[in-house]
């Protein structure tokens, strides 16, 4: 098979890139390890920055997002018994849109299928060759047959565990990582959200987050030690922990119910600064991971996609200057979202090694955020999304 851009990975990054390239008349073949149903079964955050919404509009797939997404003009911060609001609309003139990543992925799959773009699912043994040459190849098993795609460029959109980053010689990869000493225990429940906006809450028992998917589907998280297992947490224990970590007004309004999904996710910050190797370009989780505190995973994948699709569109007309600048431009924004995600995590979580002094400083930072419009504007600008 022959194409202009081979996209490895059918998650949000690969699908959005493929749709935007299609709109510029650039051919792609997308290969995905899992079935479409499996990809669509993943439970992932869905707080979309303004830039992400703009890209979905540019890709021509924002119809349902605008019909069913929930515009949020602000977010609540719980600090012990207190709670205050960060007013995105007043401070930045922008908002975020709550729309599950599953729905984003579904819309993109449906658009790709409607355009008849080649998409191969359940591929295996994906390997990349000739990345430093003019015509790289991607080989893989599909439907029991070994197949080869010859292309001009490879987009590595295969997530943290995919083969693309590993295709870069180890000695050439510049990787940095921070592992946090706790995880997030998350549940999905068919209950009305406790508040119309998200509540990020820091209490002496630890961090909690109240989020939602729609008016009858809530998403909640509590910080747990990494040694905890899901089976250690009954629904009753979860609800009690959540109630104890959110301000009383919210705790009193909380509607509990059986969990329909329950899982623990570790928290890590990771960046592979080598986002280009020859004609391979890493995009999204293939290149970087953030703790979910700032809701930046999906959104940083989108900013990579923005830079990469513009560069590939130019390169396919013979101008490779933007491709040469891709890694530097993408990384500049990656590090801003890395810092914001780290800062929100530091601000809101209990760290085992914290001293009494550390906890006083953390409380003072929350008080400053509650009282300072400048501090709230800084948070708001980053939460709604810095410009691309
Ligand atoms: N071959 C083909 N596809 C692969 C391979 C492989 N060897 N390995 C992984 N994949 C696929 C995965 O099955 C997944 O569907 O690549 C896709 C990567 O998607 P994501 O992990 O969602 O990463 P990305 O598209 O960058 O989106 C980033 O989505 O998953 C969240 O937390 C993530 O919010 C972040 C956002
Ligand atoms: C979610 O709704 O799952 C969610 C929202 C905001 C976050 C993380 C997760 O920061």
């Amino acid at each position: 098979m022959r194409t202009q851009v081979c996209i490895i990975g059918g998650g949000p990054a690969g699908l959005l890139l493929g749709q935007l390239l299609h709109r510029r008349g650039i051919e792609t073949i997308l290969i995905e390890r899992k079935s479409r149903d499996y990809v669509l079964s993943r439970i992932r955050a869905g707080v979309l920055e303004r830039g992400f919404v703009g890209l979905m509009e540019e890709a021509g797939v924002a119809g349902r997002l605008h019909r069913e997404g929930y515009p949020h003009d602000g977010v609540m911060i719980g600090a012990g018994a207190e709670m205050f609001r960060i007013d995105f609309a007043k401070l930045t003139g922008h908002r975020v849109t709550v729309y599950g990543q599953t729905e984003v992925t579904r819309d993109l799959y449906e658009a790709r299928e409607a355009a008849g773009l080649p998409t191969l699912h359940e591929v295996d043994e994906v390997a990349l060759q000739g990345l430093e040459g003019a015509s790289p190849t991607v080989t893989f098993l599909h439907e029991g047959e070994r197949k080869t795609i010859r292309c001009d460029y490879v987009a590595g959109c295969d997530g943290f565990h995919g083969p693309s980053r590993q295709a870069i010689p180890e000695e050439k990869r510049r990787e940095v990582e921070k592992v946090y000493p706790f995880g997030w225990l998350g549940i999905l429940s068919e209950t009305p959200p406790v508040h119309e906006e998200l509540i990020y809450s820091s209490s002496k028992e630890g961090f909690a987050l109240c989020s939602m998917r729609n008016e009858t589907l809530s998403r909640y998280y509590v910080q747990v030690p990494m040694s905890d297992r899901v089976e250690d947490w009954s629904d009753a224990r979860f609800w009690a922990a959540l109630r104890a970590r959110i301000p009383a007004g919210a705790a009193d309004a909380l509607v509990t119910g059986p969990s329909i999904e329950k899982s623990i996710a570790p928290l890590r910050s990771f960046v592979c600064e080598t986002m280009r190797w020859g004609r391979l370009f890493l995009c999204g989780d293939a290149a970087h991971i953030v703790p979910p505190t700032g809701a930046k995973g999906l959104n940083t994948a989108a900013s990579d996609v923005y830079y990469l699709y513009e560069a590939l569109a130019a390169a396919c007309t013979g101008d490779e200057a933007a491709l040469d600048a891709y890694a530097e431009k993408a990384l500049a924004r990656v590090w801003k979202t890395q810092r914001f995600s780290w800062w929100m995590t530091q601000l809101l979580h209990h760290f085992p090694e914290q001293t009494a002094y550390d906890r006083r400083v953390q409380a003072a930072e929350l008080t400053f955020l509650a009282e300072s419009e400048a501090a709230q504007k800084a948070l708001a600008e980053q939460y709604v999304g810095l410009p691309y």
Side-chain angles (χ1 to χ4, degrees):
M1 290 173 275
R2 179 81 181 77
T3 191
Q4 289 177 283
V5 182
C6 177
I7 298 175
I8 305 175
L15 290 163
L16 182 56
L17 177 65
Q19 197 59 24
L20 288 165
L21 290 173
H22 170 61
R23 301 277 286 192
R24 293 288 187 91
I26 293 168
E27 291 175 1
T28 63
I29 296 177
L30 188 148
I31 61 173
E32 163 57 48
R33 183 180 54 163
K34 297 293 188 181
S35 69
R36 174 168 160 168
D37 288 347
Y38 184 97
V39 174
L40 292 176
S41 69
R42 292 174 181 145
I43 304 286
R44 293 278 164 75
V47 177
L48 309 185
E49 292 178 353
R50 56 180 174 134
F52 194 114
V53 174
L55 281 179
M56 290 288 280
E57 290 167 346
E58 193 170 337
V61 294
R64 192 160 71 100
L65 162 58
H66 285 308
R67 289 194 304 275
E68 299 178 15
Y70 296 84
H72 280 212
D73 285 343
V75 73
M76 303 303 291
I77 306 288
E82 305 303 318
M83 189 154 73
F84 59 95
R85 184 168 185 265
I86 309 279
D87 188 336
F88 302 146
K90 183 185 82 169
L91 294 164
T92 70
H94 298 294
R95 57 182 28 167
V96 295
T97 302
V98 172
Y99 186 67
Q101 176 172 314
T102 305
E103 305 321 311
V104 166
T105 310
R106 190 190 317 283
D107 295 341
L108 287 164
Y109 264 122
E110 287 176 0
R112 187 168 180 88
E113 186 177 36
L117 302 180
T119 309
L120 306 181
H121 282 278
E122 298 180 285
V123 302
D124 206 352
E125 297 181 20
V126 171
L128 297 75
Q129 298 89 15
L131 295 174
E132 296 177 84
S135 187
T137 55
V138 177
T139 57
F140 53 93
L141 278 178
H142 180 245
E143 295 175 345
E145 189 187 339
R146 187 161 299 280
K147 298 179 180 175
T148 299
I149 295 172
R150 183 169 295 282
C151 55
D152 298 329
Y153 303 100
V154 181
C157 303
D158 44 345
F160 184 72
H161 301 288
S164 293
R165 189 176 69 251
Q166 306 303 326
I168 301 173
E170 190 169 356
E171 68 277 9
K172 299 293 185 186
R173 269 185 266 143
R174 299 193 316 275
E175 298 177 345
V176 288
E177 181 175 43
K178 180 182 185 63
V179 178
Y180 296 86
F182 40 72
W184 279 17
L185 167 63
I187 73 158
L188 207 55
S189 63
E190 290 171 327
T191 54
V194 69
H195 192 75
E196 62 192 10
E197 294 176 332
L198 274 64
I199 303 175
Y200 288 86
S201 187
S202 177
S203 79
K204 61 184 185 318
E205 283 78 24
F207 171 79
L209 171 61
C210 304
S211 185
M212 75 280 294
R213 294 292 176 267
N214 57 49
E215 293 99 339
T216 59
L217 197 56
S218 296
R219 182 68 167 164
Y220 294 108
Y221 299 92
V222 295
Q223 166 188 348
V224 294
M226 270 323 294
S227 53
D228 277 16
R229 299 163 305 144
V230 177
E231 46 269 27
D232 298 335
W233 284 84
S234 66
D235 285 3
R237 184 184 177 197
F238 178 89
W239 293 121
L242 180 68
R243 270 210 175 84
R245 300 185 189 194
I246 57 179
D252 294 343
L254 183 66
V255 176
T256 64
S259 59
I260 57 173
E261 192 274 344
K262 192 187 292 181
S263 55
I264 293 181
L267 269 65
R268 109 164 18 103
S269 298
F270 170 85
V271 180
C272 174
E273 293 197 304
T274 315
M275 289 182 70
R276 174 191 188 167
W277 182 253
R279 287 181 174 246
L280 167 64
F281 297 86
L282 300 185
C283 192
D285 275 18
H288 39 74
I289 297 287
V290 281
T293 325
K296 291 304 175 194
L298 183 58
N299 290 297
T300 312
S303 59
D304 291 348
V305 166
Y306 170 75
Y307 296 125
L308 186 55
Y309 117 84
E310 292 280 8
L312 285 170
C316 288
T317 61
D319 175 3
E320 293 216 341
L323 266 188
D324 293 338
Y326 166 68
E328 185 180 355
K329 283 189 78 168
L331 275 171
R333 197 174 186 283
V334 162
W335 276 111
K336 291 172 186 172
T337 57
Q338 287 281 330
R339 187 212 64 84
F340 177 66
S341 305
W342 164 84
W343 174 77
M344 282 274 283
T345 303
Q346 293 283 102
L347 176 70
L348 296 167
H349 291 75
H350 265 204
F351 288 72
E353 75 281 3
Q354 267 178 325
T355 64
Y357 179 85
D358 296 333
R359 278 198 282 279
R360 298 286 193 290
V361 166
Q362 192 179 44
E365 176 123 29
L366 278 164
T367 302
F368 177 66
L369 182 62
E371 297 171 353
S372 164
E373 182 170 301
Q376 291 183 14
K377 185 175 169 64
L379 186 154
E381 282 181 350
Q382 295 170 94
Y383 199 92
V384 300
L386 299 174
Y388 289 157

